[in-house]
Amino acid sequence: MEIKVNFLDNLRLEAKFDDFTVVADQPIRYKGDGSAPGPFDYFLASSALCAAYFVKLYCSTRNIPTDNIRLSQNNIVDPENRYQQTFKIQVELPADISAKDRQGILRSIERCTVKKVVQTGPEFVIEEVDNLDADAQALLLPGIATGEGTRIPGKDLPLEQTIATMSGILAGLGMKIEIASWRNIVPNVWSLHTRDAQSPLCFTNGKGSTKESALASALGEFIERLNCNFFYNDQYWGQEIANAPFVHYPRERWFQPGPNDELPAEILDDHCLAIYNPEGELRGSHLYDTNSGNTERGICSIPYVRQSDGEVVYFPSNLIENLFLSNGMSAGNTLAEAQVQCLSEIFERAVKREILEGELALPDVPQEVLAKYPAIVAGIQGLEEQGFPVLVKDASMGGQFPVMCVTLMNPRTGGVFASFGAHPRFEVALERSLTELLQGRSFEGLNDLPQPTFESQAVTEPNNYVEHFIDSSGVVSWRFFSARADFDFVEWDFSSQGDNATAEEAATLFGLLEDMGNEAYMAVFDDLGAIACRILVPGYSEVYPVDDLIWDNTNKALLFREDILNLHSLDEDSLQALLERLEESELDDYTDITTLIGIEFDDNTVWGQLTILELKLLIHLALQQFEEAKELTETFLQYNDNTVERGLFYQALNVVLEVELDDELDLDDYEPNFRRMFGDERMDAVIGSMDGSVRFYGLTPTSMKLEGLDRHQRLIDSFKKLHAARGKAAGLAGF
């Protein structure tokens, strides 16, 4: 994690990381102002807080209340060496906690990350640099081997070369990549979390059987998502980008809807129109670009090549963003390698969907077949030894598709996790199933798995597949676990051999799609210096339902974005119009405003917690529509999951509204005790909200210029690096 430090007045210092700011000072006796803890005090507190976190985690997973658990830490300084210190952590536990859990709680503290880092002894590197924002890729994996390098199945170049190349490309783009965490909880299963230090919303996860393969995976995913703009999906990119010579890619084209909002003739083809507009309900305005919000330019469309005949077909960026998520995008050392990865993922997810929604039972992989892959068996045994039964299944549906499945059961909670993996090579697909299962997870993280069900509706509900797509945490049917399989086991093999093996494997996978009657469309992205591609298979590789283009399109943001960002400057008529649009939209009141308008607010602010319900409440208050405000306040308090501070504000508002709406009550009679209960500052905000002197309490003013929205600005700054690189690669003036 990158922590940037600013020098403030006197000895005060400010550390900034993620969305947080920490201020440190020195005591007055050391010439400071005593306004904040010192740096070493924060260090001491970090180990105590870390210990308490692991206690809380242990108790939460076992439903043990922590109300009467107390923890303290003292540091004992050696009088002859002040750098030699003993940290004594003491825990006071209630009498009703069992002896087993007492030991468990103490053992949980042993796992404290701060403690382990201190005991291991971190290495400090202190150096001068010309620019703090220069790349830090040299820190990704210190001591990585050189020479011929490590080759693994499915990769066309050695891992070390892949890592070096991809790191160099990211550094050239100005991306300062850091590793936030590593995981290796069982043998031969590694995963890590990487992110852009300057824009932590840009992050990826990598997985593999070694730390090198996991790092290559994470960097490849980072480059794939940059090339496909996936980090910036659904977000507003600002007025500068919206009016630039291009928005997404230099080769994009913009097409105007017809006079009656018909779809432009230039987009999609007959095959796609039959899938996306079967009833003729899709309109041009449904496909306006969410990211730019520039409806005057028309429909932003990206060229894709139809694989059956090489013809170019233009796909609206809005359609891709709404339906496909990250499915079918990949980067590779070669185009063929990227194609194989794209197609493998498409088959993995489509087959997974068919199996889970069809509640199909899969055949076990025989032990004699598993024995051919001892490294994978060692990882499975590591899970079994921790008390997690593992089922290894052939998901090829009788040898039709290159897909495998590894399913974990948690007897402690009754939860299950079905992980799928795909690749033309049986071994690679099996390894990916296992590494996907544990990607970014601790053993404690396996306690949150959902329980299986015999309720078919819960399994087939569309959002369940979305959950499976995102992190495989959706619900699985008990029928999936039947010993009577719906298919025979097949030790399949879709791989090729020789110098042209990867290209032949890609052709094999394209052939499978063609045999099924599917059309594939591909775009190649190489203007950032790396080869990436995206493959769309309409009617097969979508993640969200096609109906979302009409009924749940992300460009609904265009109806609300400008007015919400300009909220503080709207007059009463504009506020009433905004309120009416929110009501007429029939949007879920608990939709957060971040999602609605595509703006990344700081999670720790009122904007970051704001929902449609609370926004409507605040508008009613600003319009002095107190009866409506009272009704929404009661709803807010009944279902509030906001901060305690925000809840108390609305508790105070609720009682003041009660008095206001009752002709027999007078606020003067109650205000003194309201102030004793809720405090002067909170009551001033409530009374100000009632008389109009305080508008939209807690929401800082902003506008379409996005002032004050640092988190979102960092995301836009990240995208501008890509935008500039694309413009320069295309030879456009000004880039």
Side-chain angles (χ1 to χ4, degrees), residues 251-262:
R251 59 182 180 274
E252 70 193 20
R253 291 183 63 186
W254 295 72
F255 303 109
Q256 292 293 336
N260 297 311
D261 203 16
E262 299 95 343

Side-chain angles (χ1 to χ4, degrees), residues 355-356 358-360 416 451-456 459 464 468 475-482:
I355 289 169
L356 294 178
E359 299 180 272
L360 303 176
V416 300
Q451 299 174 1
T453 180
F454 277 114
E455 289 291 332
S456 297
V459 177
N464 188 50
H468 275 292
V475 179
V476 177
S477 171
W478 268 120
R479 294 176 177 87
F480 175 82
F481 295 94
S482 173

Side-chain angles (χ1 to χ4, degrees), residues 480-615:
F480 175 82
F481 295 94
S482 173
R484 185 180 300 171
D486 290 298
F487 308 95
D488 293 329
F489 169 74
V490 176
E491 191 175 359
W492 50 265
D493 184 7
F494 292 84
S495 67
S496 299
Q497 305 299 323
D499 296 338
N500 205 32
T502 309
E504 291 174 3
E505 289 170 357
T508 297
L509 298 180
F510 275 122
L512 289 178
L513 289 172
E514 184 178 356
D515 292 343
M516 298 167 64
N518 290 310
E519 281 278 11
Y521 303 77
M522 181 174 69
V524 177
F525 306 103
D526 56 7
D527 45 8
L528 298 181
I531 296 175
C533 68
R534 183 164 200 167
I535 298 173
L536 310 176
V537 187
Y540 189 71
S541 65
E542 294 88 355
V543 176
Y544 284 106
V546 170
D547 287 351
D548 279 7
L549 290 174
I550 298 172
W551 303 111
D552 195 22
N553 196 304
T554 58
N555 73 4
K556 61 181 175 287
L558 307 186
L559 295 172
F560 307 107
R561 180 185 288 153
E562 185 170 359
D563 278 351
I564 290 176
L565 288 175
N566 290 323
L567 190 65
H568 289 79
S569 60
L570 296 184
D571 58 25
E572 288 193 1
D573 289 341
S574 297
L575 283 175
Q576 186 64 47
L578 172 59
L579 190 59
E580 290 173 2
R581 288 201 307 278
L582 287 168
E583 293 289 359
E584 291 168 0
S585 69
E586 298 184 351
L587 292 165
D588 184 345
D589 273 346
Y590 295 95
T591 300
D592 58 75
I593 298 302
T594 291
T595 300
L596 177 64
I597 65 174
I599 299 292
E600 285 293 340
F601 299 103
D602 186 338
D603 289 339
N604 304 309
T605 64
V606 176
W607 275 113
Q609 299 284 327
L610 188 67
T611 61
I612 290 176
L613 184 147
E614 188 179 358
L615 176 62

